[in-house]
Amino acid sequence: MYQRGQHVMRVDGPSYSTQTISSGNTGKTEARESSESNVVREEGAPGAQGPDSTSRFDDAPAAHRERLLPPPPPPPPAPAPEPWPVPEKNLKRGDSGEEVKLLQDALVELGYLTHEQVATGPGLFGPQTEAALEKFQGDRGLTAHGRYEPATREALSKSLAGSERTGGKTQQPSMSAEAAFITQFTSEYNPDGPRGSTNCGPASLAMSLAYTGHMPPGLTKEQQVDHARALMSPRRASEFTEVTASDGTRVPLLDRDHELTGGTMVSDGIQGAGLTSRYGQGWESLDQQLAAGNPVIANGATNTDWRAQFPERMGRGDIGHLNAILAKTPDGKYLVADPLHTGGPVAMTRQQLSVFFSPTGGQPSFNALQGASRGAGTGATAGASAGASAGSTVARLLDEAAARVPPFKPEPFTLPAMGVGVANVAG
C-alpha cells in the first residue's frame, strides 16, 4: 500500500483501538510507482512527521452492501468428467455450424470468450471468435493466425484435458471466500500477522491461491502470505525459510513484511504457483477470466469513496493498492477481497468496483491467475516445491522455469506518484 504526500493510511484488527502510521522503519522513505513498468522504486524524501504521522478511524460507515455469508457445504464430488469435445475439421472466419459452436464452447470454458459474446452469433465464426482464437494461440506459443488447424486442435485438447464438464459452469472454489480471506495486518483474519506491513500484494495472491486450492494445506494465514511472497521472489531463494505443510511437502517462506510489491512480482508469484499470469484491462476481459473461474489481482487505489463502501472499518488516506477479485456471485456482483478491510470479503456492483480503478479511469487493470479454476493438482505441488531448498540448485531451476515463460508485458497505464505507508498498531 502507498501513501500520497502527507496523507497517511492506517488499519487495525478488531482487538486494537489505537493505530499509528509510519512511512517505514526510518520514516524517511517515499516510493514512486513507475508509469511504464509498474516498478516501485524508493527515493530519499522527508517522511510524514509530527501530528500528521498518526491517524484514527472514523466511525464505521453504514454498510452499503451485504456481508457475504459462508456458503453451504459443498456437494459430494462429481463423477469423473468426460473428455471435452473439440472440432475435428479445420475452421476459419466465415464458417458456421455445429463445429464452430464446439470451438466457441471450448473457448468459453478456457476464458477466451464469454457466453454473452457467443450469444451474438452462436455457431458463426466471426471476428470475436477469431480474436479469441488468436489470443489462445498466442498464449500457447502457436502462430496467432486465427484459424483452427491441427496444431491448434491438439493444443485445445490438451488445455481442456484437466477441465471438468459441469454443464457450462466453472469448477467450484476450493473453499469459501470467507475462509480464504486474509488481512495484511493482525486481525481475526490473520491472528499471527504483523502489526504493520506493505503486504497487500502477497496477501491478495495468497487469498487467490487458497480460494482455488493452490495453497499448500495446513499453513497459518501469515505463513500463506509469506509463502506468496516467496513465490513472488524466485531469485531470492537463499533468503527463504521453510515449513512443512500438512501433506508433508516443504513450503518456502519469505518474511519481508515491509518490502514493496513492484516490477514483475505479481506475475512471478502466479507463475511460481504453477499457473499462467495473464495481464488484462477492461470489464469484458475481467468478466471472461472470472467466468472461467480465474481470480485476478487488481491494480488500483483507495480513496474516500472506496472506503465508504465497506460495511466495516477501513483506514484513511489515498493510496495505491492491490486486492483480489475472486469471482462473481450468482446475482452478477464481484466478490472483492481487500486485505485492508477488517470485515472480510464483500460483493460489489460494477459501479461500486469501478471506484477502485480510479487511476485508470474506472476501467479494470489486473493480472489473472489463468488456470486456477483447474483445482490444486500440480499447481499446489509446484508452489510448495518452488523453494524447497534455499541453495543454488533451486535458484537455477527457478531461473530455468522463468525462462520458459513469455516476457512480462508492462502495464500500459499511468498511476499517480505516491509515497509508501506502513500500517502499525501502537503498543
Side-chain angles (χ1 to χ4, degrees):
M1 60 181 179
Y2 314 91
Q3 170 186 325
R4 184 197 298 276
Q6 296 296 313
H7 298 287
V8 295
M9 176 68 183
R10 52 184 299 282
V11 295
D12 70 353
S15 61
Y16 296 95
S17 59
T18 304
Q19 304 289 327
T20 61
I21 288 296
S22 70
S23 57
N25 292 335
T26 65
K28 295 183 179 180
T29 59
E30 180 176 301
R32 180 179 303 272
E33 186 160 357
S34 169
S35 62
E36 295 183 355
S37 62
N38 201 30
V39 176
V40 180
R41 305 186 303 273
E42 292 193 1
E43 302 175 357
Q49 303 291 337
D52 287 342
S53 65
T54 61
S55 179
R56 62 176 179 79
F57 279 114
D58 294 326
D59 291 338
H64 288 260
R65 65 179 55 77
E66 70 275 16
R67 275 290 305 278
L68 290 175
L69 298 177
E82 297 177 1
W84 191 284
V86 298
E88 293 299 326
K89 70 177 186 179
N90 295 347
L91 299 168
K92 64 183 185 302
R93 185 169 175 174
D95 290 341
S96 62
E98 187 60 31
E99 293 277 281
V100 174
K101 185 59 167 58
L102 284 177
L103 174 61
Q104 292 172 328
D105 289 343
L107 292 171
V108 168
E109 168 68 11
L110 295 174
Y112 290 89
L113 280 174
T114 65
H115 291 289
E116 290 77 12
Q117 288 176 314
V118 173
T120 65
L124 301 177
F125 198 132
Q128 292 187 119
T129 302
E130 182 181 54
L133 191 59
E134 288 176 352
K135 289 181 181 179
F136 171 81
Q137 291 168 330
D139 287 346
R140 298 307 186 276
L142 303 173
T143 302
H145 48 54
R147 297 185 300 275
Y148 182 76
E149 296 176 345
T152 302
R153 181 182 302 110
E154 180 180 0
L156 193 66
S157 295
K158 289 181 179 179
S159 298
L160 292 166
S163 176
E164 291 189 359
R165 292 300 306 272
T166 55
K169 297 180 181 179
T170 58
Q171 182 173 318
Q172 294 299 309
S174 177
M175 63 174 63
S176 72
E178 183 79 11
F181 190 79
I182 306 174
T183 54
Q184 64 188 77
F185 50 87
T186 306
S187 77
E188 64 176 303
Y189 290 101
N190 189 0
D192 301 318
R195 287 186 173 287
S197 80
T198 53
N199 279 338
C200 60
S204 296
L205 177 58
M207 287 188 280
S208 299
L209 295 176
Y211 182 71
T212 53
H214 292 266
M215 180 62 68
L219 303 186
T220 68
K221 296 290 190 178
E222 185 59 18
Q223 286 172 339
Q224 291 179 39
V225 173
D226 291 345
H227 176 53
R229 187 177 283 279
L231 296 177
M232 298 168 79
S233 309
R235 290 168 181 80
R236 299 174 64 180
S238 62
E239 302 174 48
F240 294 171
T241 59
E242 287 184 353
V243 296
T244 301
S246 61
D247 62 359
T249 58
R250 295 185 301 171
V251 180
L253 308 179
L254 183 59
D255 185 5
R256 297 291 185 270
D257 294 327
H258 299 283
E259 294 186 357
L260 307 178
T261 300
T264 63
M265 287 179 65
V266 171
S267 179
D268 288 343
I270 295 171
Q271 294 163 13
L275 305 172
T276 299
S277 175
R278 186 175 182 189
Y279 176 71
Q281 288 182 306
W283 293 105
E284 181 178 317
S285 181
L286 175 60
D287 288 345
Q288 287 176 355
Q289 292 293 345
L290 297 179
N294 301 324
V296 308
I297 309 300
N299 308 291
T302 69
N303 53 37
T304 301
D305 291 338
W306 175 250
R307 296 187 298 275
Q309 296 185 111
F310 283 80
E312 297 188 27
R313 290 183 172 184
M314 292 281 283
R316 292 164 120 187
D318 294 348
I319 58 170
H321 191 46
L322 298 171
N323 65 30
I325 304 173
L326 301 177
K328 292 188 78 171
T329 62
D331 59 354
K333 294 181 180 179
Y334 295 88
L335 182 51
V336 178
D338 191 317
L340 287 177
H341 182 223
T342 61
V346 295
M348 292 185 168
T349 65
R350 178 178 290 192
Q351 181 178 1
Q352 290 166 331
L353 181 55
S354 69
V355 176
F356 181 72
F357 298 114
S358 57
T360 49
Q363 290 296 310
S365 170
F366 58 86
N367 284 83
L369 285 72
Q370 192 150 305
S373 65
R374 307 298 173 245
T378 59
T381 302
S385 63
S389 168
S392 60
T393 300
V394 171
R396 176 179 57 80
L397 292 174
L398 290 168
D399 286 339
E400 291 174 356
R404 294 193 295 269
V405 178
F408 175 77
K409 180 181 179 181
E411 286 83 340
F413 64 90
T414 302
L415 285 176
M418 296 180 181
V420 178
V422 181
N424 292 312
V425 177

